[in-house]
Amino acid sequence: MNVALAQLNYIPGDISYNSGKIITAIHEAHSMGAELVIFSELAVVGYPPLDLLNMHDITSGCMKAIKEIASHCNDIGAIVGGPSPNTGVYGKAFHNTAFMLYQGKVKAMVHKTLLPTYDVFDEDRYFEPGDTFFPVDFKDLSIAVTICEDLWEEQPYGDRGLVRLYGLSPLEEMMRHKPDLIVNIAANPFSHNKIKIREEIFCKNAKKYNLPLVSVNQVGGYTELLFDGNSVVINNKGEIVKRLPFFEESLTLIDVTEITAGNKKELKPVKSESANDVIPIVHKALVTGIRDYFTKSGIKKAVIGLSGGIDSAVVLALATEALGKENVMAILMPSCYSSSHSVTDAVEMANILGIGHHIVKIEEARAAFASMFEPFFKGRPADITEENIQARIRAVILMAFSNKFGHMVLNTSNKSEAAVGYGTLYGDMAGGLSVIGDIYKTEVYKLAAEINSKGVIIPQNIIDKPPSAELKPDQFDTDSLPPYSILDPILYRYIDMERSPSMIISEGYDADVVKRVIKLVRNSEYKRRQTPPVLRVSSKAFGSGRRIPIVAKY
Amino acid sequence: MNVALAQLNYIPGDISYNSGKIITAIHEAHSMGAELVIFSELAVVGYPPLDLLNMHDITSGCMKAIKEIASHCNDIGAIVGGPSPNTGVYGKAFHNTAFMLYQGKVKAMVHKTLLPTYDVFDEDRYFEPGDTFFPVDFKDLSIAVTICEDLWEEQPYGDRGLVRLYGLSPLEEMMRHKPDLIVNIAANPFSHNKIKIREEIFCKNAKKYNLPLVSVNQVGGYTELLFDGNSVVINNKGEIVKRLPFFEESLTLIDVTEITAGNKKELKPVKSESANDVIPIVHKALVTGIRDYFTKSGIKKAVIGLSGGIDSAVVLALATEALGKENVMAILMPSCYSSSHSVTDAVEMANILGIGHHIVKIEEARAAFASMFEPFFKGRPADITEENIQARIRAVILMAFSNKFGHMVLNTSNKSEAAVGYGTLYGDMAGGLSVIGDIYKTEVYKLAAEINSKGVIIPQNIIDKPPSAELKPDQFDTDSLPPYSILDPILYRYIDMERSPSMIISEGYDADVVKRVIKLVRNSEYKRRQTPPVLRVSSKAFGSGRRIPIVAKY
């Protein structure tokens, strides 16, 4: 039997767009010779819909869309994800459901049982879990349909290794009925340190039950969350025999007889991507994240403050790749503290990329503010106030270009800065989207090398110079912070791995440095609360996956 | 038996502070003659701890603190809330537990079963539910100990009325063992439209089971969430016989024999507060919210941009009440578009309150930016860009005072503006805390009247003038928005009641106006993502209780 995997890019809440896309793919799959086509989790509404699920018109629209989609499934079956009303006497209003559509009707519904509620996931907020476990029959196939987490009886949990979060395994329950095939429809967000774990879970299950497994993931950027697609087909020996592309839509046909080992037409295993360097995939992820954030918001153009430093250079390169050079504008905003190479390096880069740039010196505004504050600040030494004013003048400039020309400001802060609060609120922390806010400074250099791997885009001088905010004479990041080679590993352990200060110190890091760094992280929660959404590429980004009270003491 | 209710104000994560406070109250209760003292939910760690529960040092600290507290419970029993490790083979790492402490030991633990995961609550994120239901024995009393939601089998759900979210009732289960008393330890956040519902749920249960009920709630401001205290004692007829104060700490003694109807010493029912006007309680809530946000952050002083309009006037009055006049500074930042009364009214109000103020004219900075942008914006008409620049200059000024003198900037946007995006990001939307961001404009006037009820604090002219942003000549809010008397009811229906546009139109609101308003709300999600925490006083505030994807189309 020919089965098509539909790895598509949806828009949350846009039911008519999503269902139109699904219907088109159904017809296309049919014309490719597919008997069944599989879509991802909550495809009809886009994942994550969040509190759009509290809106009557959206949820009722989803059920109408499912019926409409079913009417296109006459000679072809489709498995489509969407919310369905909970008809029980108690519980949350919806199930997270896989609809089996065939012969113009909804033939079966499978409700997700394991509802992830940790990190960026809030599924218990919306859904009532399923509690019956039967495979779905389609023609002569008995299919164990699972929805994302239903296949993940064990969860990777930082240092704690694999943790059993749930008391039951829907897949195990379904195995009593001896299905022929496992299908997993998913909305599995990308994080560079989870690619391998995800593959392992899929392969382990296929092998354990000696059944082929087809997983279909959504693809694209959804505010913070990026979905890599990377849908896979796995044979009953637990080998990946087909992989759909990273960060691209795909409608791919597979003959299910080819994924059972020992068959004549058995497909050969494909190479695992997980062993490879993740930086190229992160690169793709960020480009996708920018592109989809703009496209889905209906905005075409970006404006970026180009300082001559590495962070804004990397963001500029990524934005240009995502949006096209005609849609990106760089603004250089030198001050009296800017080094001469700041401007020349930035101009050189804009020229390499072929993007437009303007130079707007901030001195006039700085002088105006200095004069305005003179009566009030008289006799007080210059301090962080004056540094922040410069950063905020730059934000006023970028936002003015944004307002006047309709460009969105891209934020250029990295994860190290965001972590320790080394940035100015309403200054360099401003923008519509934080592109590299989940990339530590030491990783920014790797990304720069990757960007330059097919020819110089970022001038070497930008990569080589020591990091500086250039807000006062001869200022370097290391004046205020430990070197990034020490800072970043501490931050990674504290934030990503959720290790305690004492655990980090016991690994050999200097106790005073660890305490100072963690204090900086804790004291800057209030700043991070007001920053733009951060494209998430790790398993612990700032944003909805990390929720710390501002008012706290610890 | 004498029982003490300890309604206290905690600091999230500050285990030594919280447990010190608990121990002091235990000794005080003992000296008052109490045999048992009851604390609120998760008292040891403060509610909500959020992802502090992912931090090893904090959770292990909680268990140590419980043992330490137990060592002070020799001649007195205590019921104390805190997280306890889940010792089962699967599930979340913790239970949300009520510890029964007596004779120096943990005598019993009751785990919360119903874990609210909706609106501002995320308890499924952290806790594994309890699954055994036994009363706890203390001396000759058998106590049905419940934790907050455990008593709420039914949930008020906007228009949907009471919804049964859970398939079981822990209280009902415990009734098989015929307890003598119901205790509910809670962290029940304040919302002005839930006070009555909460009382009704408590009273209904007491009456249904013919048992007295003692509820203990925490009190104070916890970032967005405000806790009113308002702990109550209810007799077995379902009448409230004792109420602890709103928004104040209290250690109150009650003789349990007095709360059983028919007893000689039976306490008389107290008046319900719920029937009263909620505005005075909202007033108290906001003052508490400001005070605790500052105190718990270790900040003393506030700076407020005083425009001469009603919003900043109300915030100034509330801040002065919360922090003291010596800790509040007003900055007047007139432009060429400011009416003369803007300055005179603002100065008058600062003088009434006796707070310091500075006048910083923005013209110099405005002219500097105009000159800087001239080469780039040449030939283009003035538009929203120039209006936003003024608002952003004001934010630069306020933040400069904040940086120079250590004051926190208080944001003065109201809920109507926040809803429709009538505000400038990094301009008037800036600040450390949004004081009235959950108060619609029409309610701001009621609050102003309440503030003035004991003597004029806000000059009448500020109350009487038509709302204006004063960013261009003769500008009024009604140029861009429907009158607030129409706007606010639409917003309330859409945001607070989660009604669909078609439902609102069917109530008789003009279809075009409804569609335009809702479009404004939907298009300003990105702005709200970057605003400061909002003190929550309604049942649906902007913030963690309302999670809408930015990238969406609906």
Side-chain angles (χ1 to χ4, degrees):
Chain A
M1 185 189 293
N2 281 327
V3 175
L5 287 69
Q7 171 176 301
L8 302 180
N9 193 344
Y10 303 100
I11 299 178
D14 198 345
I15 298 161
S16 77
Y17 173 85
N18 297 337
S19 54
K21 199 160 197 169
I22 290 167
I23 290 166
T24 303
I26 288 169
H27 289 295
E28 204 179 327
H30 186 251
S31 68
M32 286 162 75
E35 293 177 68
L36 177 67
V37 51
I38 305 170
F39 297 87
S40 56
E41 179 181 10
L42 292 180
V44 169
V45 69
Y47 191 97
L50 302 182
D51 285 3
L52 299 182
L53 289 177
N54 292 345
M55 298 185 183
H56 304 257
D57 41 349
I58 290 181
T59 47
S60 63
C62 285
M63 282 312 292
K64 276 185 215 149
I66 288 291
K67 284 180 200 165
E68 166 72 12
I69 295 165
S71 75
H72 290 266
C73 297
N74 290 305
D75 305 329
I76 183 170
I79 297 173
V80 179
S84 74
N86 171 12
T87 54
V89 292
Y90 62 82
K92 298 291 162 76
F94 301 98
H95 296 291
N96 180 341
T97 300
F99 295 88
M100 174 79 226
L101 310 177
Y102 187 48
Q103 295 171 328
K105 287 186 219 165
V106 175
K107 288 283 190 181
M109 298 200 285
V110 176
H111 304 317
K112 189 175 187 176
T113 301
L114 309 185
L115 299 169
T117 303
Y118 52 82
D119 190 49
V120 297
F121 304 106
D122 286 307
E123 293 195 23
D124 277 328
R125 183 174 170 91
Y126 308 105
F127 299 116
E128 195 61 21
D131 55 8
T132 54
F133 309 99
F134 294 99
V136 169
D137 289 331
F138 178 69
K139 296 189 175 175
D140 56 344
L141 269 187
S142 170
I143 309 173
V145 176
T146 56
I147 305 174
C148 208
E149 192 91 344
D150 283 341
L151 209 78
W152 294 63
E153 328 162 9
E154 293 174 311
Q155 296 301 320
Y157 236 69
D159 274 354
R160 276 170 265 173
L162 287 171
V163 168
R164 276 205 71 160
L165 276 187
Y166 310 102
L168 67 83
S169 159
L171 194 55
E172 202 175 294
E173 298 294 324
M174 276 192 269
M175 284 305 147
R176 301 168 202 258
H177 305 285
K178 307 203 180 304
D180 309 307
L181 174 70
I182 301 168
V183 163
N184 188 254
I185 69 168
N188 215 319
F190 172 72
S191 64
H192 61 69
N193 37 6
K194 286 275 177 73
I195 301 176
K196 196 166 169 230
I197 292 165
R198 192 204 296 172
E199 280 188 12
E200 284 171 358
I201 295 264
F202 285 154
C203 293
K204 197 169 119 178
N205 274 297
K207 196 175 171 186
K208 177 176 172 189
Y209 297 114
N210 190 30
L211 283 180
L213 185 154
V214 175
S215 89
V216 177
N217 192 15
Q218 74 172 10
V219 72
Y222 296 73
T223 311
E224 298 95 337
L225 297 189
L226 310 175
F227 293 82
D228 50 328
N230 184 20
S231 303
V232 289
V233 178
I234 296 167
N235 69 20
N236 56 329
K237 290 193 290 185
E239 296 160 335
I240 297 176
V241 294
K242 192 92 168 183
R243 178 193 304 280
L244 274 57
F246 280 89
F247 295 106
E248 284 172 37
E249 291 196 322
S250 172
L251 185 67
T252 298
L253 203 66
I254 186 104
D255 182 344
V256 287
T257 59
E258 293 176 352
I259 51 176
T260 304
N263 271 16
K264 268 187 214 164
K265 299 194 291 178
E266 182 187 345
L267 278 172
K268 282 189 192 147
V270 297
K271 213 175 52 174
S272 170
E273 293 280 331
S274 61
N276 299 348
D277 184 11
V278 294
I279 292 289
I281 305 178
V282 170
H283 180 173
K284 256 191 192 172
L286 296 176
V287 169
T288 303
I290 298 170
R291 187 182 289 138
D292 281 353
Y293 192 77
F294 276 71
T295 310
K296 295 180 185 183
S297 304
I299 295 175
K300 276 197 151 177
K301 290 167 186 280
V303 60
I304 296 168
L306 199 62
S307 70
I310 192 162
D311 298 319
S312 58
V314 164
V315 172
L316 184 72
L318 295 171
T320 306
E321 190 177 341
L323 306 172
K325 63 182 180 179
E326 66 284 6
N327 291 319
V328 180
M329 185 199 283
I331 311 284
L332 285 64
M333 298 170 285
S335 76
C336 57
Y337 306 125
S338 300
S339 51
S340 61
H341 59 75
S342 295
V343 174
T344 52
D345 293 343
V347 170
E348 186 188 341
M349 179 162 175
N351 289 338
I352 291 172
L353 284 169
I355 61 150
H357 71 270
H358 293 307
I359 300 177
V360 187
K361 291 184 184 166
I362 69 166
E363 176 52 26
E364 207 170 339
R366 196 206 56 78
F369 280 116
S371 149
M372 285 157 63
F373 292 133
E374 209 273 328
F376 310 103
F377 297 173
K378 202 161 27 185
R380 292 176 181 264
D383 56 16
I384 189 87
T385 312
E386 285 71 19
E387 297 185 37
N388 282 337
I389 288 171
Q390 296 169 60
R392 293 196 177 109
I393 289 170
R394 293 191 172 112
V396 173
I397 295 170
L398 291 174
M399 290 304 293
F401 277 90
S402 168
N403 287 152
K404 195 59 102 182
F405 301 105
H407 291 50
M408 189 195 295
V409 176
L410 285 179
N411 174 284
T412 63
S413 302
N414 62 55
K415 191 173 186 175
S416 310
E417 291 170 344
V420 296
Y422 193 70
T424 301
L425 206 48
Y426 324 129
D428 56 305
M429 295 179 78
L433 179 68
S434 167
V435 176
I436 56 169
D438 195 26
I439 312 272
Y440 288 115
K441 185 80 174 188
T442 43
E443 296 169 332
V444 174
Y445 286 96
K446 292 182 193 167
L447 208 47
E450 160 71 19
I451 288 166
N452 275 0
S453 63
K454 287 169 200 141
V456 173
I457 288 172
I458 302 170
Q460 194 60 35
N461 199 34
I462 289 179
I463 295 171
D464 291 342
K465 68 179 75 169
S468 164
E470 299 197 330
L471 294 170
K472 58 182 182 182
D474 297 323
Q475 182 181 40
F476 294 101
D477 291 10
T478 43
D479 302 345
S480 320
L481 301 172
Y484 288 109
S485 59
I486 291 172
L487 178 65
D488 285 357
I490 294 173
L491 291 174
Y492 175 77
R493 280 158 177 78
Y494 181 65
I495 293 162
D496 297 50
M497 300 299 286
E498 299 186 320
R499 289 187 189 153
S500 68
S502 59
M503 289 162 80
I504 299 171
I505 292 164
S506 74
E507 287 182 70
Y509 290 91
D510 182 85
D512 288 341
V513 175
V514 169
K515 283 178 193 163
R516 186 161 72 92
V517 167
I518 289 175
K519 197 175 167 196
L520 289 171
V521 175
R522 293 180 174 186
N523 287 347
S524 43
E525 277 320 322
Y526 79 97
K527 284 190 177 184
R528 283 189 290 273
R529 185 68 70 98
Q530 297 190 40
T531 45
V534 174
L535 295 180
R536 175 186 179 273
V537 295
S538 79
S539 54
K540 189 56 78 181
F542 294 123
S544 66
R546 188 173 182 278
R547 305 174 189 173
I548 308 287
I550 295 179
V551 156
K553 207 173 149 201
Y554 55 100
Chain B
M1 185 189 291
N2 280 327
V3 175
L5 287 70
Q7 171 176 302
L8 301 180
N9 193 344
Y10 303 99
I11 299 178
D14 198 346
I15 298 161
S16 78
Y17 173 84
N18 297 335
S19 55
K21 198 159 198 170
I22 290 166
I23 290 166
T24 304
I26 288 169
H27 290 294
E28 204 178 325
H30 186 251
S31 68
M32 287 162 74
E35 294 178 66
L36 177 67
V37 50
I38 305 170
F39 298 87
S40 56
E41 179 181 9
L42 293 179
V44 169
V45 68
Y47 191 97
L50 301 182
D51 285 4
L52 299 182
L53 289 177
N54 293 344
M55 299 184 183
H56 305 257
D57 41 350
I58 289 182
T59 46
S60 63
C62 285
M63 282 312 291
K64 276 185 216 148
I66 288 290
K67 284 179 200 165
E68 166 72 11
I69 295 166
S71 75
H72 292 265
C73 298
N74 291 305
D75 306 329
I76 183 171
I79 297 173
V80 179
S84 74
N86 170 13
T87 55
V89 292
Y90 62 82
K92 298 292 162 75
F94 302 97
H95 297 290
N96 180 340
T97 300
F99 296 87
M100 175 79 227
L101 311 177
Y102 187 46
Q103 294 171 328
K105 288 187 217 164
V106 175
K107 287 284 189 180
M109 297 199 285
V110 175
H111 304 318
K112 189 175 186 176
T113 301
L114 309 185
L115 298 168
T117 303
Y118 53 82
D119 191 50
V120 298
F121 304 105
D122 285 305
E123 293 195 22
D124 277 328
R125 183 173 170 92
Y126 308 104
F127 299 117
E128 195 62 20
D131 55 8
T132 54
F133 310 100
F134 294 97
V136 170
D137 289 332
F138 177 70
K139 296 190 176 174
D140 57 344
L141 268 188
S142 169
I143 308 173
V145 176
T146 56
I147 305 174
C148 209
E149 192 90 344
D150 283 343
L151 208 79
W152 294 64
E153 327 160 11
E154 294 174 310
Q155 296 301 319
Y157 235 72
D159 274 353
R160 277 171 267 173
L162 286 171
V163 168
R164 276 205 70 157
L165 276 186
Y166 311 101
L168 67 84
S169 159
L171 193 55
E172 201 174 293
E173 299 292 325
M174 277 192 268
M175 285 304 145
R176 301 169 201 259
H177 306 284
K178 305 203 182 306
D180 308 307
L181 174 69
I182 302 168
V183 164
N184 187 252
I185 69 167
N188 214 319
F190 172 72
S191 63
H192 60 69
N193 36 7
K194 288 273 176 73
I195 301 175
K196 197 168 167 228
I197 293 166
R198 192 203 295 172
E199 281 187 12
E200 284 171 357
I201 295 264
F202 286 154
C203 293
K204 198 168 117 180
N205 274 296
K207 195 174 170 185
K208 178 175 171 187
Y209 298 113
N210 189 31
L211 283 180
L213 185 154
V214 174
S215 89
V216 177
N217 192 16
Q218 73 172 11
V219 72
Y222 296 74
T223 312
E224 298 94 338
L225 296 189
L226 310 174
F227 293 82
D228 50 328
N230 184 21
S231 304
V232 288
V233 178
I234 296 169
N235 70 19
N236 57 331
K237 289 194 289 184
E239 295 161 335
I240 298 176
V241 294
K242 192 92 165 184
R243 177 194 304 281
L244 273 57
F246 280 89
F247 296 107
E248 284 172 38
E249 291 194 323
S250 172
L251 185 68
T252 298
L253 203 65
I254 186 104
D255 182 344
V256 288
T257 59
E258 292 175 352
I259 50 176
T260 304
N263 270 17
K264 268 187 214 163
K265 300 195 289 179
E266 181 187 345
L267 277 172
K268 281 189 193 148
V270 298
K271 213 177 53 175
S272 169
E273 292 281 332
S274 61
N276 299 349
D277 185 12
V278 294
I279 292 289
I281 305 177
V282 169
H283 180 177
K284 257 191 191 172
L286 297 175
V287 169
T288 303
I290 297 169
R291 186 183 290 136
D292 281 354
Y293 192 77
F294 277 71
T295 311
K296 296 181 184 182
S297 304
I299 295 174
K300 277 196 151 177
K301 290 168 186 278
V303 60
I304 296 168
L306 199 62
S307 70
I310 191 160
D311 298 318
S312 58
V314 164
V315 172
L316 185 72
L318 295 170
T320 306
E321 191 177 339
L323 306 172
K325 63 182 181 181
E326 67 284 7
N327 291 318
V328 179
M329 185 199 283
I331 311 285
L332 285 63
M333 298 170 285
S335 76
C336 58
Y337 305 124
S338 299
S339 50
S340 62
H341 59 75
S342 295
V343 174
T344 52
D345 293 342
V347 170
E348 187 188 341
M349 180 163 175
N351 289 339
I352 291 172
L353 285 169
I355 61 150
H357 71 270
H358 293 307
I359 299 177
V360 187
K361 291 185 184 166
I362 69 167
E363 177 52 25
E364 207 170 337
R366 195 207 56 78
F369 280 117
S371 150
M372 285 157 63
F373 292 133
E374 210 272 327
F376 309 103
F377 296 175
K378 200 160 31 185
R380 292 177 183 262
D383 57 17
I384 190 85
T385 311
E386 285 71 19
E387 297 185 38
N388 282 337
I389 288 170
Q390 297 169 61
R392 293 196 176 108
I393 289 170
R394 294 192 172 110
V396 173
I397 294 169
L398 290 174
M399 290 303 294
F401 277 90
S402 168
N403 288 152
K404 196 59 100 183
F405 302 104
H407 291 50
M408 189 194 295
V409 177
L410 284 179
N411 174 284
T412 62
S413 302
N414 62 56
K415 191 174 188 175
S416 310
E417 291 171 346
V420 296
Y422 194 70
T424 300
L425 206 50
Y426 323 129
D428 55 306
M429 294 178 78
L433 178 69
S434 166
V435 176
I436 55 169
D438 195 27
I439 311 272
Y440 288 114
K441 186 79 174 189
T442 43
E443 297 168 332
V444 174
Y445 287 96
K446 293 182 193 167
L447 209 46
E450 159 71 19
I451 288 165
N452 275 0
S453 63
K454 287 168 201 143
V456 172
I457 288 172
I458 302 170
Q460 195 59 38
N461 199 34
I462 288 180
I463 295 172
D464 291 341
K465 68 177 79 167
S468 165
E470 297 197 331
L471 294 170
K472 59 183 182 180
D474 297 322
Q475 183 181 39
F476 294 101
D477 292 10
T478 43
D479 302 344
S480 320
L481 301 174
Y484 288 108
S485 59
I486 292 172
L487 178 64
D488 285 357
I490 294 173
L491 291 174
Y492 175 77
R493 281 158 178 77
Y494 181 65
I495 293 161
D496 297 49
M497 300 299 288
E498 300 187 319
R499 289 188 190 153
S500 68
S502 59
M503 288 162 81
I504 299 170
I505 293 165
S506 74
E507 286 183 70
Y509 290 92
D510 182 87
D512 288 341
V513 175
V514 169
K515 284 179 192 161
R516 185 160 74 92
V517 167
I518 289 176
K519 197 175 168 196
L520 289 170
V521 175
R522 293 180 174 186
N523 287 347
S524 43
E525 276 320 322
Y526 79 97
K527 284 190 177 183
R528 283 189 291 274
R529 185 69 70 98
Q530 297 189 40
T531 45
V534 173
L535 294 181
R536 175 187 179 273
V537 295
S538 78
S539 54
K540 188 57 77 182
F542 294 123
S544 66
R546 189 175 181 276
R547 305 175 189 171
I548 308 289
I550 295 180
V551 155
K553 207 174 150 200
Y554 54 102

